[in-house]
Amino acid sequence: MSEEIQRLLPVGFNLASTSTTKFDPLRDYLAAALGIDKDSVYPSGASSRASNVPIRLNQGKAQYTHFRLGLFVLGTDELALASTHIRAQVKKNFDAILLIMPRADGAYDAAAYAVRSGDELESKLKETFPDAVAYVETVNVDGSDLSGSVTPPVEPDALLQPVGLIQLSALEEAVADAGLDVPQAVLISCLAALRAGKHLLLTGPPGTGKTSLAAAVSDAAFKHGVNRGVVMTTATSDWTSVDTVGAYRMTRSAELEFQPGLVVDAIKSGRWAIVDEFNRADIDKAIGQLFTLLSGSEVVLPHEVESEDEFKRVALVPEGASLPADMECIVVHNSWRLLATMNDSDLDLLFDVSQALKRRFAVIEVPPLPPERLAALLGHFPTGDANADRLISAMAASGAIRLGPALWIDLAKYVAQRRAIYEEESLEFVASMAISEGAALIFGPQGITAETVSAALSAIRIEATTKEGVE
């Protein structure tokens, strides 16, 4: 089956265009292989960033139509984060979701799938893609989340355990499973802040794994029964309280009904919320009434819902507080947390986050890898050209360019593919030129100028020349 996927998704396949018709041949193949109707397969994809998975799987017909299979093709190797997303999305409008990603050699292959327990697609996916990571999710008949095999009693809040049960060893294990290299001091800071009742705001340079770390923290909490999963999204510039708190929306029966936003929905379902790129939204405005909630106080929303033949205002009430009889109360469990990420390179370009809002969070920096460890990591991503490997490793080891490992790996992969194209066309490959052009494409959007890259390469050449002269 891998060969057929690689035939339909060759190396260099263009994922950047928004049209989904490019996936039609793959959709036809999957429908035939799994014995389902082609129209019941919803295709989507993204060339980069696993945080795009929930956004793309909630667009178009997927917003209101149930599909047998969701197909997502991701152009980057972010298995842990992408898997978290497909597990959450399969509990909504899909019976199963198949995730396809590039392997280390650049060839696309089935990486993971999430499927509803008991669905006939479970056995078919296992037979068709035996090497893919399988996630079998138990879901109520009404589609609500049961978070795996856990069956809640009448009072669902009783299932959630205190944050204090999470141990450092469990967090380290979740981080290792996600393929992250995070200093233990950062993990201790995260764990201490969570136990102290704080929400987390992870900051640092691009590519340091902040979003993947947030997902790993949530996963460790899930394994200890502290949450029932995670709701993950990316903030956008047009966000308002409608997106986070909720709003009245028209139902199919032409009636207005309050529908919770993503944060309130996460609280109701016992899931943690992860907001990527926090300051891409005017977050002080978008967070709305939740501003007060984050400090542990009760919040009464300006919305009503029908309850026991009467309309009541919706209130978010901390666990242990008295529940007003005249309100429709949503209990905020003591273990509920909001995790957010923010790139420090964007601070002058995007919206500000007020000091008042920051006080609701523990702000923790996720630093890039030490230069020597970054250089060692890049040794696992050869370009096929010894000189290019040496230059990239030396640039990383110099510490002159402060970026996370994900972006350096992207650079190595770009140079490897550029070298392959030059070889195919019998063209002369110049390592420094390929690195400069790749850095302009990958580092440039993160504020790293061409002059900075050129200076780093020049310093390496000077150092090499000096060593040769000494020898």
Side-chain angles (χ1 to χ4, degrees):
M1 296 303 174
S2 298
E3 293 77 9
E4 189 65 17
I5 290 177
Q6 290 155 24
R7 183 183 70 81
L8 297 172
L9 295 175
V11 173
F13 185 83
N14 180 23
L15 289 173
S17 67
T18 57
S19 172
T20 60
T21 57
K22 59 180 176 288
F23 296 122
D24 281 352
L26 183 57
R27 187 166 64 155
D28 291 340
Y29 158 68
L30 289 173
L34 299 174
I36 58 178
D37 187 84
K38 169 187 174 181
D39 292 334
S40 69
V41 180
Y42 180 81
S44 190
S47 58
S48 62
R49 300 188 64 84
S51 55
N52 285 318
V53 174
I55 298 172
R56 301 289 171 80
L57 287 176
N58 280 290
Q59 292 178 337
K61 291 183 178 180
Q63 297 180 78
Y64 52 82
T65 305
H66 186 89
F67 287 90
R68 290 287 283 140
L69 179 70
L71 164 65
F72 199 93
V73 183
L74 181 63
T76 59
D77 183 9
E78 296 180 79
L79 180 58
L81 184 55
S83 294
T84 298
H85 285 312
I86 65 171
R87 293 179 66 184
Q89 294 301 313
V90 81
K91 298 164 187 173
K92 296 183 178 179
N93 290 341
F94 302 93
D95 292 324
I97 298 175
L98 176 66
L99 174 67
I100 295 177
M101 296 168 50
R103 302 182 313 213
D105 61 1
Y108 284 95
D109 203 354
Y113 61 83
V115 60
R116 295 186 178 210
S117 177
D119 194 288
E120 63 180 13
L121 281 176
E122 181 181 344
S123 59
K124 291 183 178 179
L125 285 165
K126 183 177 181 179
E127 179 182 352
T128 308
F129 304 108
D131 296 327
V133 180
Y135 298 99
V136 181
E137 307 294 332
T138 302
V139 181
N140 274 333
V141 292
D142 64 356
S144 58
D145 177 16
L146 285 183
S147 293
S149 59
V150 177
T151 302
V154 176
E155 178 52 60
D157 283 339
L159 265 182
L160 298 181
Q161 302 298 320
V163 172
L165 288 182
I166 306 174
Q167 300 296 311
L168 179 61
S169 59
L171 187 51
E172 290 176 328
E173 181 182 349
V175 167
D177 288 345
L180 299 174
D181 188 347
V182 180
Q184 187 184 65
V186 172
L187 301 184
I188 292 174
S189 295
C190 289
L191 187 55
L194 291 171
R195 289 185 179 183
K198 302 294 287 185
H199 305 280
L200 300 186
L201 176 56
L202 304 178
T203 68
T208 54
K210 297 180 290 296
T211 309
S212 295
L213 174 58
V217 171
S218 296
D219 186 54
F222 171 75
K223 290 177 179 177
H224 282 74
V226 176
N227 66 37
R228 295 194 187 91
V230 64
V231 175
M232 190 173 297
T233 189
T234 301
T236 64
S237 59
D238 57 356
W239 257 23
T240 67
S241 60
V242 170
D243 301 280
T244 58
V245 178
Y248 290 111
R249 299 185 188 276
M250 190 72 71
T251 66
R252 293 182 179 179
S253 56
E255 295 179 347
L256 282 176
E257 181 180 276
F258 173 65
Q259 294 187 4
L262 66 94
V263 177
V264 174
D265 182 56
I267 292 171
K268 285 184 64 177
S269 61
R271 294 177 290 175
W272 285 10
I274 296 178
V275 180
D276 200 20
E277 308 284 357
F278 202 47
N279 57 332
R280 289 195 178 278
D282 186 350
I283 201 66
D284 284 69
K285 176 181 177 182
I287 211 75
Q289 296 86 350
L290 301 179
F291 201 103
T292 303
L293 176 73
L294 293 176
S295 62
S297 300
E298 175 185 327
V299 174
V300 178
L301 303 181
H303 305 96
E304 293 183 337
V305 296
E306 189 172 5
S307 175
E308 300 177 353
D309 297 325
E310 62 176 322
F311 285 91
K312 295 181 178 181
R313 291 279 291 274
V314 177
L316 303 174
V317 184
E319 180 187 5
S322 59
L323 303 179
D326 60 341
M327 300 282 181
E328 179 66 19
C329 297
I330 298 174
V331 176
V332 184
H333 202 278
N334 289 336
S335 65
W336 182 79
R337 295 292 185 271
L338 171 61
L339 313 183
T341 72
M342 188 167 68
N343 286 329
D344 58 16
S345 63
D346 294 334
L347 295 182
D348 297 330
L349 304 175
L350 303 175
F351 292 99
D352 291 329
V353 178
S354 71
Q355 292 300 320
L357 182 56
K358 283 183 181 178
R359 281 199 300 273
R360 271 69 177 176
F361 292 84
V363 182
I364 298 173
E365 182 182 6
V366 182
L369 288 179
E372 64 279 4
R373 281 164 63 185
L374 176 59
L377 174 65
L378 290 172
H380 297 290
F381 298 90
T383 64
D385 181 86
N387 191 35
D389 291 341
R390 180 184 65 80
L391 289 174
I392 293 174
S393 179
M395 285 175 63
S398 72
I401 298 176
R402 189 170 178 267
L403 291 173
L407 293 166
W408 286 96
I409 291 171
D410 286 346
L411 174 62
K413 288 180 176 179
Y414 172 86
V415 172
Q417 294 304 318
R418 190 178 182 91
R419 182 206 58 77
I421 293 171
Y422 272 56
E423 185 176 289
E424 292 165 7
E425 302 300 327
S426 300
L427 299 173
E428 182 182 0
F429 176 78
V430 180
S432 58
M433 183 179 297
I435 292 171
S436 297
E437 292 175 354
L441 295 173
I442 297 166
F443 294 174
Q446 313 304 329
I448 305 300
T449 65
E451 289 75 16
T452 300
V453 175
S454 178
L457 287 170
S458 296
I460 293 168
R461 295 192 193 96
I462 293 171
E463 181 181 358
T465 301
T466 302
K467 286 183 178 179
E468 289 176 2
V470 170
E471 293 173 358

